[in-house]
Structure formats: structure tokens, C-alpha cells
């Protein structure tokens, strides 16, 4: 990889890390608003149209998908078994959220929320495996080991952290969508 390629890679990774931190912030802020008494009013100010959480979730899922494809197909990182499992839960969210957002189906959170929570669980397992490689909870077999850390932005943002933050943000947005669908305008 030449100096231009390294600069592009560095910019992409740092950009994804910043987006991950924004996703984590949203995953912390939105769920309490979704369950609090006055949260519906605040959420309506942030999301004036009930379809907007689905649109944001679609943007996050698409970014996560394209980011993972960039890292494997352009940069050349070999995905481990847990990476494949996370992809298996993230990639289908793109067309599903696209249809939900386009059609304005406000009950779509019932389908997307469980998928994003399972994906977040797999990401959590993968993060644990990276920080505790001696445990080896999942036998990764041939190819890349699940404990390998190709990326460590700010010392803690690895590829499964990127995926996990996207899953958590999508789950938080589905809680918002649930609240907006149940709260009269």
C-alpha cells in the first residue's frame, strides 16, 4: 500500500471510529428517552417524522456494511468467524431497513430490534475475545483468529467495537421508532 493508500486507510478508520463514538453516544441517550414519561415530546423534536429513525438506522447499517467490505476487499483484512457472524446480522438489515424506510412501515422495529440485539451480543463476545485471547470462547478454525486486532483506534476501537456500536445505535433507534409509533402526535 502506497502513501496515498495509507492516508486513505487512516482517514477511513479514524472516520469510522468517530462515527462509532457518535453511535455509542446515541445508544446511551435515546433508550432512556424512549422509556421516560416526557421522552416522546423530546423524541418528536429530534425526529419530527416517525420514519426518520429507520432512515438513520439504514444509514448506519449501510455505513457498517460498506466499512466492513472496504476492510476486507480493499485493505485485505481476513474476516474471522465472529466477523462473518456479525456480517450475517448486519448485511440483511440494509435491504430490510431500506424497504421499511421507503414504505414507511412504522412497525418495522419489531423485526429490526431483535436482529440488532443479537448482532450486538455477537460483537460483545468478539470484543471480550479480543481483550482476553487466552479464554478462546469461540474456536475460529482456519483463517484469522477471533482474537486478532487489526485496528485499535484510540487504543480501544477495534473492528468488533465498530460493528457493536452500529448494532447498539440501530437498536436504540428501533426503541425510538417504537416510542414514536405508540405516542400520538
Amino acid at each position: 500500500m502506497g502513501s496515498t493508500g495509507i492516508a486513505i486507510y487512516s482517514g477511513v478508520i479514524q472516520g469510522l471510529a468517530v462515527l462509532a463514538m457518535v453511535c455509542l453516544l446515541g445508544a446511551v441517550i435515546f433508550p432512556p428517552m424512549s422509556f421516560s414519561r416526557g421522552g416522546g415530546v423530546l423524541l418528536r423534536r429530534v425526529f419530527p417524522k416517525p420514519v426518520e429513525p429507520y432512515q438513520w438506522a439504514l444509514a448506519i447499517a449501510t455505513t457498517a456494511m460498506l466499512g466492513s467490505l472496504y476492510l476486507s476487499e480493499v485493505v485485505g483484512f481476513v474476516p474471522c468467524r465472529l466477523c462473518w457472524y456479525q456480517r450475517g446480522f448486519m448485511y440483511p438489515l440494509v435491504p430490510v431497513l431500506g424497504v421499511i424506510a421507503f414504505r414507511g412501515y412504522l412497525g418495522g422495529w419489531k423485526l429490526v430490534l431483535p436482529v440488532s440485539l443479537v448482532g450486538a451480543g455477537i460483537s460483545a463476545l468478539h470484543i471480550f475475545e479480543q481483550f482476553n485471547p487466552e479464554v478462546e470462547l469461540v474456536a475460529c478454525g482456519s483463517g484469522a483468529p477471533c482474537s486478532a486486532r487489526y485496528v485499535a483506534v484510540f487504543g480501544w476501537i477495534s473492528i468488533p467495537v465498530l460493528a457493536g456500536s452500529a448494532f447498539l445505535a440501530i437498536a436504540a433507534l428501533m426503541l425510538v421508532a417504537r416510542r414514536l409509533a405508540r405516542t400520538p402526535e
Side-chain angles (χ1 to χ4, degrees):
M1 190 181 301
S3 61
T4 303
I6 292 171
I8 292 170
Y9 165 76
S10 178
V12 168
I13 290 298
Q14 289 177 5
L16 290 173
V18 169
L19 289 175
M21 289 189 294
V22 171
C23 284
L24 289 172
L25 182 63
V28 169
I29 292 173
F30 290 132
M33 291 173 65
S34 298
F35 292 108
S36 69
R37 266 204 141 120
V41 174
L42 289 171
L43 290 173
R44 289 233 179 262
R45 288 187 183 192
V46 177
F47 303 101
K49 298 177 185 171
V51 75
E52 287 179 6
Y54 296 107
Q55 294 167 339
W56 281 104
L58 174 61
I60 292 168
T62 302
T63 301
M65 182 183 75
L66 293 175
S68 75
L69 288 171
Y70 169 77
L71 292 174
S72 64
E73 302 304 316
V74 176
V75 177
F77 292 162
V78 177
C80 70
R81 181 172 288 169
L82 288 173
C83 288
W84 281 114
Y85 293 160
Q86 290 166 89
R87 286 177 177 205
F89 282 90
M90 184 64 73
Y91 288 16
L93 288 178
V94 175
V96 168
L97 284 164
V99 169
I100 290 169
F102 178 74
R103 306 259 340 220
Y105 175 56
L106 301 182
W109 64 269
K110 295 173 190 172
L111 175 64
V112 176
L113 181 60
V115 173
S116 60
L117 290 175
V118 171
I122 295 169
S123 295
L125 177 66
H126 197 176
I127 293 164
F128 180 82
E129 183 94 10
Q130 281 189 332
F131 282 96
N132 302 286
E134 68 282 355
V135 174
E136 194 175 352
L137 294 173
V138 176
C140 274
S142 63
C146 292
S147 59
R149 290 181 70 189
Y150 292 124
V151 173
V153 181
F154 309 126
W156 62 277
I157 298 179
S158 61
I159 294 171
V161 172
L162 294 173
S165 64
F167 281 124
L168 288 174
I170 292 168
L173 286 165
M174 293 307 100
L175 292 175
V176 169
R178 175 182 171 266
R179 176 66 185 258
L180 294 177
R182 293 180 174 188
T183 304
E185 291 186 39

